[in-house]
Amino acid sequence: MSGSAPEIPGFQPLQIRGGGELGIWIEARQVRLDRRVLLKVLPAGEAHLANDFQREVRGMVQLDGRGSLRVIEEGQAGQARFVAMDEAGSVRADPELLSEEDIYPLASMLISLYLESIALGFRPGRIPVESVRRLPAGGFVVCELGKIQSVSSDADMEEHRSPIAETLRRWSRHLGLAKAAEPLLEELRQEQFGLEEIRTRWSQSAEVIKRRPTATKRAQIPMFMALGICLALLQI
């Protein structure tokens, strides 16, 4: 383990996963419960960002797992601040393992994250694509909200359309989903549907995709059918 990882009592650092908009990500083991967690640490050298970091942590606590990893502990070790998040079996989104069908679950998570946050009185900042994580059962979450901004929950939702589109465009470009994202970005540009209606449409599409058999399962179906036929013939 690199010596640059701050020591956080109760956690055994395993691997530094790089930096976000605020602090660094460290894969770690929570010693007491013997489980893997994701630590986000704001080093002492970035103490001038402490207020931004605390606001982000409060936002993630309020979301409570809706679009972001769930916070299980937060605190301070020396001059460094940290937050521990339940990985929930998630892994960083890998462009090599994504297909065009993943654009709806990804976009659905993004727009829901924004609308849930706005309802709580804040808007996410610039969320790095490196913070996007894929869940074992399908779907995505993020492990960072960036420098969040306070907003009025009763303000016009449409003013948030642009940052949602910018984030989706940036994520899809880096994840190799730019072409698949074009119809969704066009839907945001046209303003024919409100953001709540778009969320419903994208969520429905994401659910349909989630219920489809994976490529592996589709390949296995003919094999299982053939096996069933052979067993039936043997019983005749």
Side-chain angles (χ1 to χ4, degrees):
M1 182 68 208
S2 170
S4 61
E7 289 190 11
I8 307 296
F11 296 91
Q12 176 191 0
L14 301 174
Q15 186 174 4
I16 294 179
R17 281 301 186 188
E21 289 292 297
L22 296 167
I24 58 175
W25 298 310
I26 303 172
E27 289 189 0
R29 182 176 71 92
Q30 188 178 23
V31 177
R32 182 171 60 87
L33 298 177
D34 191 25
R35 64 174 171 179
R36 291 178 68 95
V37 299
L38 187 68
L39 285 175
K40 189 177 179 192
V41 180
L42 187 72
E46 298 181 20
H48 60 288
L49 297 173
N51 288 337
D52 289 324
F53 186 82
Q54 286 300 103
R55 280 194 291 270
E56 180 191 28
V57 172
R58 284 197 298 271
M60 296 183 78
V61 169
Q62 287 179 282
L63 285 168
D64 193 29
R66 291 170 291 170
S68 68
L69 292 181
R70 182 172 281 105
V71 172
I72 55 178
E73 188 174 334
E74 57 176 304
Q76 190 165 347
Q79 295 300 309
R81 295 180 179 272
F82 74 92
V83 58
M85 295 168 276
D86 182 3
E87 277 193 326
S90 65
V91 296
R92 181 179 289 187
D94 183 349
E96 296 296 322
L97 300 178
L98 298 179
S99 69
E100 290 191 350
E101 287 188 341
D102 287 310
I103 193 62
Y104 275 104
L106 180 68
S108 173
M109 177 276 289
L110 172 62
I111 194 169
S112 292
L113 176 67
Y114 263 81
L115 296 184
E116 294 283 355
S117 299
I118 292 164
L120 291 169
F122 66 89
R123 188 174 77 187
R126 186 181 187 278
I127 307 175
V129 68
E130 293 83 5
S131 76
V132 178
R133 300 177 70 87
R134 189 169 194 168
L135 294 166
F140 298 86
V141 291
V142 297
C143 59
E144 175 159 332
L145 297 178
K147 296 181 180 180
I148 67 175
Q149 306 169 31
S150 297
V151 296
S152 173
S153 57
D154 58 359
D156 183 6
M157 281 287 190
E158 295 307 305
E159 68 184 50
H160 306 296
R161 189 179 288 261
S162 178
I164 294 171
E166 187 279 326
T167 304
L168 180 59
R169 184 180 298 108
R170 177 165 46 84
W171 283 3
S172 62
R173 185 173 65 248
H174 287 285
L175 294 174
L177 299 173
K179 185 175 181 180
E182 287 176 3
L184 288 76
L185 290 169
E186 181 61 28
E187 198 168 351
L188 285 170
R189 276 194 296 268
Q190 288 181 353
E191 300 186 4
Q192 180 179 357
F193 303 104
L195 292 178
E196 285 288 358
E197 187 172 355
I198 291 176
R199 170 164 65 170
T200 299
R201 291 158 60 90
W202 290 1
S203 296
Q204 290 171 345
S205 297
E207 280 301 311
V208 170
I209 290 168
K210 187 177 178 180
R211 289 194 295 268
R212 287 179 186 169
T214 62
T216 301
K217 289 180 181 176
R218 286 196 295 268
Q220 290 173 340
I221 288 171
M223 179 184 69
F224 289 138
M225 290 178 65
L227 179 60
I229 292 170
C230 289
L231 290 172
L233 289 173
L234 288 172
Q235 293 173 357
I236 295 174

